[in-house]
Amino acid sequence: MNESSPPLKTFIQENLLSAMQTNQLCLYYQPQFSLVEQKITGIEALLRWHSQGFGWLNPQVVVAVAEQSELIVLLSEWTLRQALHDFSRLQPMIKRVSVNLSVGYLQRVPLVTVVQRYLAEAGVAPHCLDLEITETVVLEPAPLLLNALRQLRQMGISLSIDDFGTGYCGLSYLKKLPLNTVKIDRSFLRDATNRARDALLYHDILQLARNLDLRIIAEGVETQAQLEFLKLTHCHEAQGYLLGRPMPLTKLQHFTKAIAPPDVLAVAEDMHFLLP
Ligand code: G
Ligand code: MN
């Protein structure tokens, strides 16, 4: 997934900067829903680049290439700044914006200063910002980074673990890090409605997060059956194609005005056997 052909890699290295300056690079936003309140609680900012040479580029590849140089700093700061700027236009309708921060970026910058600067510039309160990091970040967090994350939490910013369960690392970091939220990777949900064993596994992950007092977001909700399963297991929030695809800011503004809450209350009878 992170492999890129040499011409594509060179293309990204040579054009990323100008893509930021010319709006070829943009952010799409995917809504996150509360299954309790049945409304949008937040949005996740997702990088999109429609290039002249290669068409739509895989954002994971773009980030992986950027991480090999200082480009990752420029890309990450562009993303954070743009997301906060866009979000300031969505308030008070939307309460929270999530931004993905890559390992490469976190290792390089004085995070707290940068975040404070962009929050102030956009006029956004710290409690409206959520930063998503992956498990690989926490494998061996440098003391300086741990400190920075703690400071961000003290400021009121929330911290999420993205793609939870895929990092192949021990769980002790869950106690060590000042986390608010886990986002359970979509691979766990895929079969949870087909196989009792997978349903039980999902249930156990939810229980683990609940025991640690963490907010839980289920990623990759694509079917009504999956949504009903999540409702049954008392998952807090959900995100996925069924509820809303990543979309440009203008579309999101219409979406938030037009949307009726998804029918999350109906629980099909045949779902009950999946639960212990
Ligand atoms: O790693 P992270 O969870 O931040 O990845 C988000 C990516 O997942 C986005 O690029 C988005 O397009 C994709 N995505 C969002 N919802 C779904 C979904 O329901 N199914 C699948 N297959 N992908 C999704
Ligand atoms: Mn994410």
Side-chain angles (χ1 to χ4, degrees):
M1 183 71 81
N2 288 339
E3 290 302 310
S4 52
S5 62
L8 177 58
K9 186 176 166 183
T10 313
F11 178 85
I12 293 170
Q13 286 167 334
E14 288 175 358
N15 294 281
L16 185 57
L17 251 181
S18 66
M20 287 183 225
Q21 288 154 356
T22 57
N23 296 330
Q24 280 184 56
L25 205 69
C26 68
L27 295 177
Y28 274 30
Y29 294 93
Q30 186 175 35
Q32 300 168 331
F33 284 87
S34 160
L35 296 181
V36 184
E37 297 169 72
Q38 294 191 56
K39 62 175 195 194
I40 298 182
T41 41
I43 47 172
E44 178 178 1
L46 295 160
L47 195 64
R48 294 292 182 265
W49 179 0
H50 191 261
S51 69
Q52 273 158 13
F54 287 84
W56 287 103
L57 298 179
N58 180 338
Q60 278 175 289
V61 171
V62 176
V63 171
V65 172
E67 279 199 317
Q68 292 167 16
S69 72
E70 292 300 308
L71 276 174
I72 192 61
V73 177
L74 298 172
L75 177 63
S76 305
E77 293 184 355
W78 177 88
T79 304
L80 189 59
R81 192 173 188 208
Q82 187 68 39
L84 288 170
H85 177 261
D86 287 349
F87 176 74
S88 69
R89 297 166 58 187
L90 296 165
Q91 288 180 302
M93 193 99 88
I94 308 236
K95 306 275 181 237
R96 186 185 69 219
V97 62
S98 295
V99 179
N100 294 283
L101 291 185
S102 75
V103 196
Y105 179 65
L106 289 168
Q107 283 162 349
R108 282 172 220 239
V109 288
L111 193 58
V112 178
T113 328
V114 175
V115 171
Q116 269 172 332
R117 177 168 7 115
Y118 291 142
L119 280 172
E121 196 182 286
V124 171
H127 70 265
C128 298
L129 176 63
D130 172 75
L131 298 175
E132 294 190 12
I133 56 180
T134 58
E135 283 176 332
T136 40
V137 172
V138 294
L139 263 180
E140 280 174 60
L144 269 180
L145 176 58
L146 257 181
N147 252 340
L149 294 176
R150 291 198 180 113
Q151 272 187 59
L152 291 170
R153 276 286 281 129
Q154 274 163 13
M155 284 164 58
I157 290 162
S158 76
L159 292 179
S160 301
I161 285 288
D162 204 3
D163 308 328
F164 180 67
T166 58
Y168 307 107
C169 55
L171 293 170
S172 57
Y173 77 85
L174 285 174
K175 283 199 306 190
K176 213 166 25 175
L177 279 186
L179 294 174
N180 306 72
T181 308
V182 290
K183 298 186 72 181
I184 303 179
D185 190 69
R186 62 174 170 269
S187 58
F188 294 102
L189 188 60
R190 205 170 299 141
D191 291 319
T193 48
N194 302 327
R195 288 206 300 243
R197 209 183 54 188
D198 292 87
L200 282 171
L201 175 62
Y202 206 89
H203 186 263
D204 287 347
I205 299 173
L206 285 169
Q207 198 53 47
L208 172 79
R210 252 195 298 267
N211 289 344
L212 291 164
D213 248 345
L214 296 168
R215 190 163 55 95
I216 308 156
I217 303 186
E219 294 186 299
V221 185
E222 294 181 352
T223 66
Q224 190 66 34
Q226 288 170 342
L227 189 58
E228 287 166 0
F229 169 78
L230 293 170
K231 187 73 187 162
L232 260 182
T233 51
H234 305 291
C235 181
H236 305 134
E237 295 187 28
Q239 180 179 352
Y241 292 166
L242 178 75
L243 299 162
R245 288 192 169 248
M247 59 190 102
L249 180 67
T250 44
K251 199 164 167 207
L252 181 78
Q253 283 166 323
H254 292 298
F255 183 85
T256 47
K257 280 181 202 136
I259 193 159
D263 181 15
V264 291
L265 282 175
V267 174
E269 282 298 311
D270 61 354
M271 297 296 297
H272 290 284
F273 77 94
L274 289 166
L275 292 171

